[in-house]
Amino acid sequence: MGVLNISPESFYKGSVYNNPEKLKIAALKMIKNGGTMLDLGARSTAPWSEKITIEEEVSRMVPAMEILCKIIPDNILISIDTQYKVVAEKTYDIALKYNKKIIINDVSCLKTDKKLIDFIIEKELPVILMASKKIPGDLLTIEDIIKEFRNTINILTTKGYDKNRIILDPGIGRWVEQKTPNYDLAIIANLNKLRILKKPILIALSRKSFIGAILNIADPEKRYNGTLSSTAIAVFNGAHLVRT
């Protein structure tokens, strides 16, 4: 999964493509290099980043989605990185117009906007759930992550949602102050325990703060080798998909 951020607030500026031409070039390069899924996000989810309105998120997403749908092959899945139904709805309509397929990627595990639950059920959309209980990424241990995933999966399936459309993301990163690098390392080491839920596991480690802390590298631009190493370990430990 290749990351296409159109949020200038994002912590790693190398992943920001808020210029239409740069967005096109980056998307096509990711596909050429083997990417099968493109993750489009217009809102930085880093806890310390500047907050934007839902209207601003929509105004960024709609033109970017139009650009992507015009240039990518039909077999490439577009991941819509949002916590809000209105954003999912707008991008879904564009995808439908161009005969493209989308998946919703919600870092709040469907906690932020309850209306998004009914929307993905109604439209039969696949979803990526990132481990969260009250706010994005607030779960610290693999045991708590599994417990909360079970709860969310149960809510969805009780409403008639097909559980085979679910992908799980354990939520690596300093999402909350108390989540120190040791918690991230323990989650990566125990990724195989998530397999009890019988769902594909997505891992998002690229240039995250725990890599910087371990290697004493403050600049995300210089965390490439650490990203490769930690990703290889995560895949060995059970990850099926890599967001990078």
Side-chain angles (χ1 to χ4, degrees):
M1 175 194 280
V3 178
L4 296 169
N5 285 324
I6 48 174
S7 50
E9 306 84 13
S10 293
F11 82 96
Y12 175 51
K13 303 309 176 186
S15 70
V16 177
Y17 307 100
N18 52 353
N19 171 288
E21 197 57 35
K22 287 182 179 179
L23 181 66
K24 291 179 187 177
I25 293 170
L28 294 175
K29 183 178 180 181
M30 289 174 183
I31 294 168
K32 182 180 179 181
N33 289 339
T36 57
M37 196 183 306
L38 300 177
D39 189 54
L40 185 65
R43 175 190 296 269
S44 173
T45 51
W48 59 86
S49 64
E50 179 185 346
K51 305 306 177 188
I52 64 169
T53 64
I54 298 175
E55 291 75 19
E56 176 66 19
E57 185 178 351
V58 169
S59 73
R60 293 174 179 181
M61 284 291 266
V62 167
M65 187 67 177
E66 287 274 357
I67 289 170
L68 281 188
C69 287
K70 288 176 182 177
I71 65 169
I72 66 170
D74 290 346
N75 65 325
I76 300 298
L77 187 62
I78 303 174
S79 167
I80 304 301
D81 188 347
T82 189
Q83 301 168 57
Y84 300 97
K85 180 202 171 187
V86 64
V87 180
E89 198 168 33
K90 295 286 186 182
T91 50
Y92 172 81
D93 289 343
I94 296 169
L96 203 61
K97 181 171 71 172
Y98 289 98
N99 195 33
K100 306 299 180 186
K101 294 181 180 179
I102 67 169
I103 181 171
I104 303 302
N105 182 9
D106 185 353
V107 298
S108 78
C109 206
L110 300 174
K111 303 295 195 305
T112 299
D113 184 357
K114 300 296 185 183
K115 291 180 286 187
L116 185 54
I117 296 176
D118 293 329
F119 181 74
I120 65 169
I121 292 171
E122 177 193 347
K123 302 301 182 183
E124 299 182 338
L125 294 174
V127 66
I128 299 168
L129 302 174
M130 196 189 85
S132 307
K133 187 171 185 177
K134 294 181 179 179
I135 58 174
D138 59 353
L139 296 169
L140 305 181
T141 68
I142 200 73
E143 290 77 19
D144 287 343
I145 288 169
I146 291 171
K147 181 179 179 181
E148 195 57 36
F149 275 149
R150 286 190 193 277
N151 290 340
T152 304
I153 292 168
N154 183 58
I155 289 170
L156 288 169
T157 54
T158 299
K159 289 174 173 281
Y161 187 74
D162 182 355
K163 62 183 179 181
N164 293 317
R165 295 194 178 103
I166 297 171
I167 295 173
L168 304 177
D169 174 357
I172 299 297
R174 194 76 181 266
W175 292 90
V176 291
E177 188 64 30
Q178 59 267 42
K179 196 172 187 185
T180 57
N182 284 340
Y183 285 111
D184 283 331
L185 293 175
I187 291 169
I188 294 169
N190 289 284
L191 269 184
N192 63 314
K193 291 184 178 180
L194 279 179
R195 292 200 167 198
I196 194 172
L197 299 174
K198 299 181 180 179
K199 300 284 177 289
I201 301 165
L202 179 144
I203 202 78
L205 305 174
S206 186
R207 306 176 195 272
K208 290 282 178 82
S209 60
F210 81 95
I211 298 171
I214 293 168
L215 300 179
N216 194 27
I217 300 175
D219 184 359
E221 183 72 39
K222 298 178 181 178
R223 297 175 188 166
Y224 182 68
N225 290 338
T227 294
L228 292 180
S229 302
S230 55
T231 298
I233 293 168
V235 171
F236 180 80
N237 287 344
H240 303 92
L241 298 163
V242 176
R243 180 183 184 273
T244 188

